[in-house]
Amino acid sequence: LSARLEELVGFDGDLELQTNGSAPSKPWNAGPNSVVKLSSEAQSPFRNIFPAGELGIQLPNRGEYDGFGHPFPPLKPGTDRVFVGFDFRCKSKDAGGDGTWRYYLGHGAGNSAAVELFFNGDRFFRKSGGAVEPVGLVVGGEWYQVQLLLDLKQKTYTGVLSSRLGKTDFNGA
C-alpha cells in the first residue's frame, strides 16, 4: 500500500502505516545502534494540508548517536524547487543528555548535505557554507515547525522556524 501511495502522490514522510513503539521500518531506516522509535507522544499537533497524524519519531535525549533517515527519491528533470517541512519538540533538557540533533537534506549522511540544521534543548542552528550559526531559541516542551524552500538552481534555501511563541526566518547556501 505504501509503495502504491508513493507512486500516486510522490514522496511523503507519513508514518501512519507503521507500529507504535517500534523502530521505523521501510522506507525509513534507523541508523546504526540507534534506538529511535515511533511514538504517539512524538506526534506534532500542527496541521497543514493534511490532518494531524498519530505517530512521530521519538529521538532519545542521550549522548550516543541516534539517527534515522529516508532516501530522497530522484527528482523529475527540470525540478527547480523543493519544499520540505518537519516538526519537533525537545521534551526536556534535563532528561539525561546534552547532545544536538542534526537534520540534513542531501546525497548522504557525510559531507555532501545541501541543507544542514541542528537543534538541542536551547537553540536551533543552520549551517551555511562552512559556518554554523544560531537561528533562534528553543524552549523545552514547545512544538516547533520548520518549513524549507530549496532553490536547486541557485543552490540556496530559505526557511522559517515557527511555534506558538513566534517565528524566525533564516536562509543559507
Side-chain angles (χ1 to χ4, degrees):
L1 182 58
S2 292
R4 179 66 179 133
L5 183 60
E6 188 169 324
E7 181 183 316
L8 291 172
V9 299
F11 171 74
D12 181 38
D14 195 8
L15 300 166
E16 300 310 312
L17 299 176
Q18 300 207 23
T19 305
N20 192 21
S22 68
S25 60
K26 286 187 178 184
W28 293 91
N29 58 49
N33 302 315
S34 177
V35 297
V36 300
K37 65 180 180 177
L38 296 162
S39 171
S40 57
E41 291 181 22
Q43 176 57 53
S44 162
F46 293 130
R47 295 184 184 142
N48 289 306
I49 334 178
F50 302 106
E54 295 178 15
L55 293 174
I57 295 180
Q58 184 172 6
L59 301 167
N61 185 13
R62 63 188 201 138
E64 294 87 346
Y65 168 82
D66 283 303
F68 66 95
H70 187 302
F72 207 66
L75 300 174
K76 293 180 182 177
T79 300
D80 295 334
R81 300 183 308 167
V82 174
F83 298 89
V84 178
F86 68 95
D87 304 342
F88 72 93
R89 172 183 64 172
C90 298
K91 279 181 102 171
S92 170
K93 185 178 171 188
D94 302 325
D98 195 22
T100 299
W101 291 281
R102 175 181 180 235
Y103 180 90
Y104 71 88
L105 298 169
H107 296 291
N111 295 322
S112 64
V115 175
E116 283 185 272
L117 306 172
F118 308 88
F119 54 95
N120 59 30
D122 294 320
R123 295 193 185 273
F124 184 87
F125 305 87
R126 61 121 177 150
K127 185 174 184 179
S128 182
V132 176
E133 301 169 336
V135 169
L137 298 176
V138 169
V139 175
E142 187 71 32
W143 279 100
Y144 292 84
Q145 183 171 82
V146 176
Q147 295 180 0
L148 298 168
L149 166 58
L150 285 65
D151 184 325
L152 303 179
K153 281 190 172 183
Q154 299 296 318
K155 297 186 178 183
T156 61
Y157 65 90
T158 57
V160 62
L161 171 67
S162 52
S163 74
R164 65 179 184 84
L165 303 173
K167 72 176 196 164
T168 303
D169 295 319
F170 61 96
N171 58 56

